[in-house]
Amino acid sequence: MDEQKTVKERIKIAWIDGDIIGLLSASLESFVNTIFETPLSYQEFLEYTGEYLDHFILNACKQECLTYVGGKLTLTLAPGFKGTLQLHADFYFQNAEKQWILKKKDGMIDKKKIVDYNLVPELKRLKTEKKLEYPIDAPDKEK
């Protein structure tokens, strides 16, 4: 409960400061905790996560005048947190001067929140290979 309060405080501060990137960064934890309170399928998990990442990319491009180039979402089994999936996303942007900008997002989800965890072939592969990677394509700009 204290962690959720801290996240809410960070969101509030970012909102007051007009810090959109800070707001999105602080809200990832809140997003994962809120959206995944009800168990869902792995496909739904990927769809919701994709929507969140698209929103982050579009806001970063708009707020900072960046061009999104590509990225990668990595799922691993969190060390020390039995039954937890750790999410890590790397986003590659370029600014107007063609300088590379790397942004990162991290989050976690309990495997119990994914109803078909033991049935999905990709998640079975995660157990043996310890890592899954997905490309993060450029979002549809009309979102």
Side-chain angles (χ1 to χ4, degrees):
M1 192 68 151
D2 290 335
E3 282 183 38
Q4 191 65 12
K5 184 178 180 184
T6 302
V7 171
K8 287 181 181 180
E9 288 172 0
R10 289 185 3 233
I11 291 170
K12 182 178 178 181
I13 291 167
W15 179 261
I16 291 169
D17 292 343
D19 179 7
I20 299 298
I21 301 303
L23 178 66
L24 289 171
S25 178
S27 65
L28 180 60
E29 278 181 68
S30 180
F31 165 77
V32 170
N33 290 335
T34 302
I35 199 74
F36 301 128
E37 283 179 0
T38 304
L40 66 165
S41 73
Y42 184 62
Q43 186 60 41
E44 290 171 316
F45 161 74
L46 290 176
E47 288 170 11
Y48 286 132
T49 301
E51 289 174 18
Y52 174 81
L53 299 177
D54 285 352
H55 184 71
F56 171 78
I57 292 166
L58 292 170
N59 277 322
C61 289
K62 183 178 178 181
Q63 296 294 320
E64 299 180 45
C65 298
L66 299 174
T67 301
Y68 181 68
V69 179
K72 177 176 60 174
L73 174 66
T74 304
L75 299 179
T76 56
L77 297 172
F81 294 93
K82 189 173 181 177
T84 302
L85 296 177
Q86 187 168 343
L87 292 72
H88 175 78
D90 288 328
F91 305 89
Y92 297 93
F93 297 88
Q94 282 189 323
N95 62 18
E97 293 80 32
K98 301 292 183 195
Q99 295 171 319
W100 288 95
I101 310 290
L102 172 63
K103 295 187 176 287
K104 299 176 181 239
K105 292 278 174 210
D106 294 294
M108 293 171 46
I109 182 171
D110 190 316
K111 72 177 186 179
K112 293 178 202 168
K113 298 195 181 204
I114 301 174
V115 295
D116 53 357
Y117 181 84
N118 291 314
L119 304 173
V120 177
E122 290 170 283
L123 293 174
K124 289 180 182 179
R125 196 173 78 234
L126 173 64
K127 292 174 195 173
T128 59
E129 296 178 14
K130 308 296 184 213
K131 178 168 68 169
L132 290 176
E133 294 182 344
Y134 296 96
I136 303 173
D137 297 324
D140 180 3
K141 293 184 180 185
E142 296 180 15
K143 286 188 179 181

